[in-house]
Structure formats: structure tokens, C-alpha cells
Amino acid sequence: MHASPRLRWCVSASLGALSLVAGAASADDAIGPYENFKWVTVQIDSPESLLAVSQLGESLACQAGPGPVDFVIEPDAMEALEALGVPYVLRSNNIQHEIDEETRANELARAERGQDFFATYRTIGEIWTYLDTLAALDTVPNPPGHIIEKFNTGDSVQGRNIYGLRIATPTPLGAPPKPVFLISATQHAREWAAGSSAMWIADRLCREYGIDPVVTQLLDNVDFHIIPIVNPDGYNHTFPTAQGGGNTRLWRKNRRLNSGGSFGVDLNRNWSVGWGLNGGSSTSQTSDTYRGTAAFSEPEAAAVSDYALTLSPLKAHIDIHTYSQLVLGPWGYTTTAPPRTSELNPLAAAMVSAIESVNGTNWTGGQASTTLYVASGVAPDWTFQTMNALSWTFELRDTGTFGFTLPASQIVPAATEAWAGIVALAQHIQVRLRLNLSGPPSSLALSTPANFGVSITTENQYTLQADSANLMWREGDSGAYNEVPLTGGPTNFTATLPAFGCGRTINYFVQATANDGLIVRTPTSNDLSASTPACPGCLGDANGDMNIDFKDITTILSHWGMSGAAPFDGDADYNGVVDFQDITIALGAWGGGCG
Ligand code: 0X9
Ligand code: ZN
């Protein structure tokens, strides 16, 4: 199938409804529900032409705009399309043929390659069973210390469990917990290569600890939690009837029965951060981007988010989708730039180049809302905002040749690409340096520098960049930090806050740079703060800003007026009038400040 890389494939729920009708009308199971539906690419040049073509079928683009747009046209509507006079290319006279072809190829692969789990796309039952197979591997004593646990995050609308796999190694007693990496996939039912890739990554982590040095190093330092099929009902619905499915290959949403009688909520519009904002989702129950009645109205999104909340410290999250070969970062719900761009941007670039280097495919990275389109209520926005995790959407292979129906022969190539991106991110979140502060002050003696101890230890073969350890401080919550190099070393350092006057609150943290250039700071997000004693009350400080200056005069003059019976406090020269001469005298007598 061909589509522009930026074109999104969003077969709508009403196609599902049409297909149900078509399916019901057919007694013969060999005739699929898309029998005689046409697949055309129409050149859209105006809202009018979009509207007119939309009457004849369903757009496959979530947000169709000017340019080529793919449509599934109803079997008897081709003459009407012709009559519109809009340019179009007929891609398939019977879209069911493409789907049948895919089914045949999958069955062939299944038969030919026998036991290989990744030779073909697997049913939901096969996937859950395979998680048991992988979980059973952790009883193997060699290599020791490999933890594989199957977990259940909760139940779907139709009551299916939503399973995942935790793959980790034990953390020594007393050591801080390892950073956690969450991989979720297949919120969208038809995106089969997302689920197979998540399973392939799980398989590799389970089987190659102690064998593949990359896997060993990652698992010694990072805990992985992988939820391969977030939408088990929808996923099952995309499988052929013969495999227990609903025979609707291009289904996207979950299987919620909406109040109007249609099915499905888009799980990737149902998360609470940005939910319903900026036109990035639909209120129409039949839309493929229907957001649901409320944030987390859907048990699948709620279960996975509740599970994510138990992960500590969650440092990274990748939500796997197909297709378009994109790495999409926060925000999805707004075109406003996210925080942490200095961390997000180079990481996205590192993931893109790691992925591209596997097979030479071309990928693009960027902010989701500007690189693709605004979508609100998406999972990575939630983990980024709520849990401060570094979060992206991966849109795997391809760029439209096959689209959602990626041949089974590409299961492993697609997965190895996803793996390369995950490894790049996992290496980033690994611990490099540990900075321990001893006795960082919260109160400071007046006009006296304050020292505290900092120990810096290295982990995972990283080293400390020379002269990179600094105390960073500033007054208040904005503006540049002042940098004070730590003294001593190589492990135990001294940090020194300079002397400050009264009534000052100083925010500070300590940072150091690892040999690969990554800056590590303690505390990781919020600053520490320390204050000097409050200033003594000053008679001249009429506005209480801890400085005696002309502003105080204004306060005094407005309080007393410019005339009155002497003596007044403000009448410094006792001439019976409060005026600017008094200020000069006052400042001369008292000095310029309190501190
Ligand atoms: O629309 C989606 O949910 C994702 N694309 S898909 O074709 N797999 O449905 C993209 C979500 C990424 N976020 C934004 N574009 N904001
Ligand atoms: Zn998707």
C-alpha cells in the first residue's frame, strides 16, 4: 500500500460498521467484509472536494488535508467519484484482496517456519502464552540473577487481561533502585508490527542476558517493563474469524460499545494530560480518534497508567505504533515547546541515527505535534508530564508501501530497528555518576561562606570529566545560575556557597559531567534552598523591601502627605514639611540599606 509518510491511516469506525453489514450479508466466509470496496488515492485540492469524496467512502487519513488522500470507496460509488471530476488513482479494485493476500502470506509463513514465534503475526492468545514461555526462563540458573515476571495491569472492556513482562536483575541490598524503562505497544489494534516488535524486544532481553554484552549491560542497570498489547480486544478484532478474531483487519480503537451504538474509543486519545485540548481528538463516537467520555474512561488506558504509576523511578517510556518511521516527542497535544528540550532533542537525534544505522532506513525525529499533527490525550504526554519520564512515540516501518499490513518477513527487521532506538535511550538513562551531598545547608550564617561535602562516584565504566564538578546557585527561581567549582577530589569534594547578607534565599544544586558529556545533577529536578537570617526591621524601610531608598520616601510622603504639623517621623530636618530634602538627610544618616 502506498501513502505519503505524513499521511495517517485512520479507517474510521463507520467502515467497521459498513463491514459488519457487508459481513452479515455474506453467508460465505471466504468473502471478507471489505469485498469490492475500492482503494483510491484522491488528489484533494479544496474542503469541498474533501467533503464530496467523503460522501462516497472513508478517508484513511486521521486528518485529511490538501494533497493525496487515501480513501476506501464503497463498492458501487466509483461512478459517483468519476462524476466529481477530481483526479484519483485506483489502487485496488477490491481491498479485500490485499487483506486476503496478507492472511495467506501469514499462514504460509506460519506453516513454513513452524515454531519460530516471529515468523508470523500472533494472535492475542499466542502472545499471552508466549509471555508464560519467557517468564519460565527465569528459573534457569545460568545465568543467575535474571528476573522475568509476567504481570497483569488490569482488564479490557471485554474482560481480557492486559499482560506485561518485567525483565530485570536483582538490585543489591541498600543500593538505590535502578532506572525503569516502560515499553507499551499496540494501543491501536491494527498496528501489528508494534506488538511483534515489543515481543521481540522482550524475547531478546529474556534470552540474551549473559550472552549479548549489550543486553547484559542494559539489564545490569535498567529495569524493563514491556506491555506488548495495550488493546487486546481491538487486536483480537483484527484477526481472521478462523483464528477467533473479528475479521476486521483495519480496526484501530478498543471495543467499547458507545452510547450511540458504535464501537470504540481511541486509547491514544484517552490519557489525561491534554485530554480533549486543541482539536487533537474527536468528540464523535464514530470517529477513529474518538476520545471517550472522560480522560481514562477506558479501562485499558487506565490500567496501563495505573501500572506506570507504580514504577519508580520511571525514567523512559516508548509507546510503539506503526507506521511512518518517526520518533515523536512531547508535546503531542500542543505545539508549545516542552521542558527539557536540551535533553529531548539530542536524544531523539541519537535514537534516529541508531535506528537508521541498522538497515539504512530513513527516520525523522521531532516534537509530535509539529512533526506529525496535534493529538491530545496521548500516552507519552502523560508519562512525560506526570512521571517526568523521557517519553516518545515510535512509528515503526514502513512509509506506506505496506503500511499497517507489513509483511511477516519484516517482523524482525522492524523489531531490530525499534530495539536500536530503545538501546540508545536505555543507555542514556543508565547511572553514570552518583553525587552524594553531606550536610547541604538549609540555613546560612550571616555574611559567612558555607561549606558542605560532595562525594562523586562513577558507575558502568563511566568517568568524571575533569574540572566539571560545580556548585550552581542563584537567588530566586529565574535567571542564570552562578557557578562555583568544587574543590578537592577525586572522590570527596567541598562545595562552598559564598557569603550573603540578611534576608536572602539561595537556590542551589551540584552538578558534574560524565565522560560522554551527560550532565548529572543532584537533586535531579528541584533545587535545594538555604536562607540567611531575616533582616532586622529598619525604620527607614517604609515599603519593607530591605533597602532604604527613594521608594521609601514615596511611601512616606504618600502616607503623611506633603504638609502637616511638625514633628513627623518623615520630617528629617524638622522644618515642618515632609519633602525630598528629608530623604537626602535620611539616607545620609542611615546608609543605603539594611543588609
Ligand atoms: O495518532 C496517533 O495516535 C499516532 N499515530 S498512528 O498512526 N499510530 O495512529 C501518533 C501519535 C503521536 N502524537 C502526536 N502526533 N501528537
Ligand atoms: Zn497508532
Side-chain angles (χ1 to χ4, degrees):
M1 296 189 176
H2 180 79
S4 129
R6 297 291 172 272
L7 193 72
R8 309 308 310 141
W9 285 65
C10 264
V11 174
S12 80
S14 54
L15 176 62
L18 283 170
S19 70
L20 282 179
V21 173
S26 157
D28 180 1
D29 227 20
I31 299 178
Y34 297 100
E35 195 62 37
N36 284 325
F37 280 68
K38 320 292 175 199
W39 171 24
V40 295
T41 303
V42 183
Q43 197 62 33
I44 295 297
D45 59 5
S46 67
E48 292 73 28
S49 65
L50 179 61
L51 190 68
V53 181
S54 300
Q55 313 288 322
L56 307 175
E58 290 296 329
S59 156
L60 289 172
C62 292
Q63 288 172 359
V69 178
D70 285 297
F71 281 88
V72 173
I73 300 290
E74 294 182 39
D76 52 4
M78 286 306 284
E79 272 180 24
L81 179 66
E82 197 70 46
L84 290 176
V86 286
Y88 73 88
V89 177
L90 181 65
R91 300 257 170 210
S92 166
N93 203 28
N94 183 354
I95 204 170
Q96 188 63 42
H97 284 167
E98 271 68 38
I99 292 169
D100 289 345
E101 189 45 49
E102 187 203 29
T103 308
R104 256 192 300 281
N106 288 343
E107 277 164 6
L108 205 65
R110 196 181 282 266
E112 275 176 1
R113 290 154 82 178
Q115 294 308 301
D116 184 354
F117 185 80
F118 299 101
T120 186
Y121 292 103
R122 296 294 176 180
T123 64
I124 191 69
E126 288 172 324
I127 288 172
W128 293 159
T129 304
Y130 199 69
L131 292 184
D132 290 325
T133 306
L134 293 178
L137 295 175
D138 84 339
T139 57
V140 179
N142 183 23
H146 196 184
I147 302 165
I148 308 172
E149 289 167 353
K150 185 182 172 194
F151 57 82
N152 177 23
T153 64
D155 291 352
S156 67
V157 166
Q158 294 177 339
R160 288 186 177 82
N161 293 324
I162 303 162
Y163 290 115
L165 214 58
R166 172 181 174 230
I167 308 150
T169 55
T171 303
L173 210 63
K178 297 192 191 78
V180 178
F181 198 129
L182 173 66
I183 300 171
S184 55
T186 336
Q187 291 199 79
H188 293 146
R190 63 194 174 199
E191 296 166 11
W192 288 3
S196 57
S197 295
M199 290 300 288
W200 190 90
I201 289 163
D203 186 80
R204 182 157 189 170
L205 288 169
C206 289
R207 292 185 192 278
E208 299 197 3
Y209 181 66
I211 298 167
D212 175 350
V214 173
V215 171
T216 311
Q217 207 263 347
L218 285 186
L219 281 174
D220 281 340
N221 296 290
V222 177
D223 270 17
F224 287 87
H225 296 245
I226 302 179
I227 305 172
I229 310 285
V230 173
N231 178 7
D233 299 347
Y235 186 71
N236 185 62
H237 195 59
T238 61
F239 273 73
T241 323
Q243 291 174 31
N247 208 25
T248 308
R249 177 64 185 86
L250 297 179
W251 189 258
R252 169 181 166 99
K253 301 187 286 182
N254 75 350
R255 292 297 292 163
R256 156 83 63 201
L257 175 57
N258 295 317
S259 62
S262 66
F263 280 93
V265 170
D266 184 352
L267 296 179
N268 206 31
R269 298 295 183 278
N270 193 238
W271 296 63
S272 63
V273 168
W275 185 82
L277 295 182
N278 305 333
S281 62
S282 175
T283 54
S284 164
Q285 296 180 349
T286 57
S287 163
D288 242 356
T289 54
Y290 176 45
R291 66 170 75 120
T293 52
F296 291 131
S297 58
E298 301 316 293
E300 297 89 351
V304 174
S305 68
D306 284 348
Y307 183 78
L309 285 172
T310 68
L311 303 176
S312 175
L314 184 68
K315 292 289 182 187
H317 173 213
I318 296 294
D319 188 39
I320 308 182
H321 291 248
T322 74
Y323 62 92
S324 282
Q325 300 177 186
L326 301 169
V327 172
L328 300 168
W331 298 113
Y333 79 95
T334 172
T335 53
T336 305
R340 300 177 74 181
T341 43
S342 60
E343 210 174 353
L344 290 168
N345 294 345
L347 266 172
M351 287 189 280
V352 165
S353 77
I355 294 169
E356 288 180 332
S357 69
V358 178
N359 298 306
T361 46
N362 283 323
W363 282 59
T364 305
Q367 184 170 344
S369 52
T370 51
T371 307
L372 189 57
Y373 45 68
V374 172
S376 41
V378 298
D381 279 0
W382 184 88
T383 44
F384 182 67
Q385 161 106 337
T386 312
M387 305 200 66
N388 207 22
L390 294 158
S391 308
W392 283 267
T393 302
F394 279 5
E395 297 277 4
L396 306 184
R397 288 183 171 210
D398 52 15
T399 54
T401 309
F402 296 100
F404 298 124
T405 52
L406 192 72
S409 59
Q410 293 195 39
I411 288 176
V412 174
T416 41
E417 287 166 357
W419 166 252
I422 301 258
V423 170
L425 180 54
Q427 282 171 342
H428 172 85
I429 64 168
Q430 283 178 46
V431 176
R432 289 153 165 73
L433 307 174
R434 288 195 193 280
L435 276 55
N436 279 312
L437 314 187
S438 49
S442 55
S443 60
L444 299 168
L446 199 60
S447 307
T448 316
N451 292 335
F452 62 95
V454 179
S455 82
I456 301 181
T457 50
T458 60
E459 301 216 8
N460 304 316
Q461 290 98 45
Y462 288 103
T463 57
L464 173 66
Q465 208 174 84
D467 303 324
S468 71
N470 288 307
L471 169 68
M472 310 292 288
W473 70 268
R474 69 183 179 188
E475 209 171 345
D477 292 330
S478 59
Y481 285 92
N482 301 280
E483 198 174 289
V484 185
L486 304 193
T487 55
T491 302
N492 293 312
F493 295 82
T494 302
T496 305
L497 277 164
F500 297 101
C502 67
R504 310 274 292 274
T505 297
I506 305 304
N507 294 315
Y508 68 99
F509 63 92
V510 174
Q511 72 174 30
T513 310
N515 56 321
D516 68 339
L518 190 95
I519 297 173
V520 176
R521 52 165 286 174
T522 295
T524 45
S525 43
N526 296 329
D527 289 355
L528 296 164
S529 85
S531 306
T532 54
C535 295
C538 293
L539 286 181
D541 185 20
N543 60 4
D545 70 350
M546 298 300 172
N547 275 312
I548 298 174
D549 55 22
F550 285 108
K551 285 192 196 122
D552 300 313
I553 304 315
T554 311
T555 307
I556 294 167
L557 292 181
S558 74
H559 181 71
W560 292 103
M562 291 300 289
S563 63
F568 337 112
D569 286 344
D571 185 16
D573 58 5
Y574 295 94
N575 71 351
V577 176
V578 178
D579 56 19
F580 286 110
Q581 267 168 284
D582 299 313
I583 305 316
T584 312
I585 289 166
L587 292 178
W590 293 334
C594 288

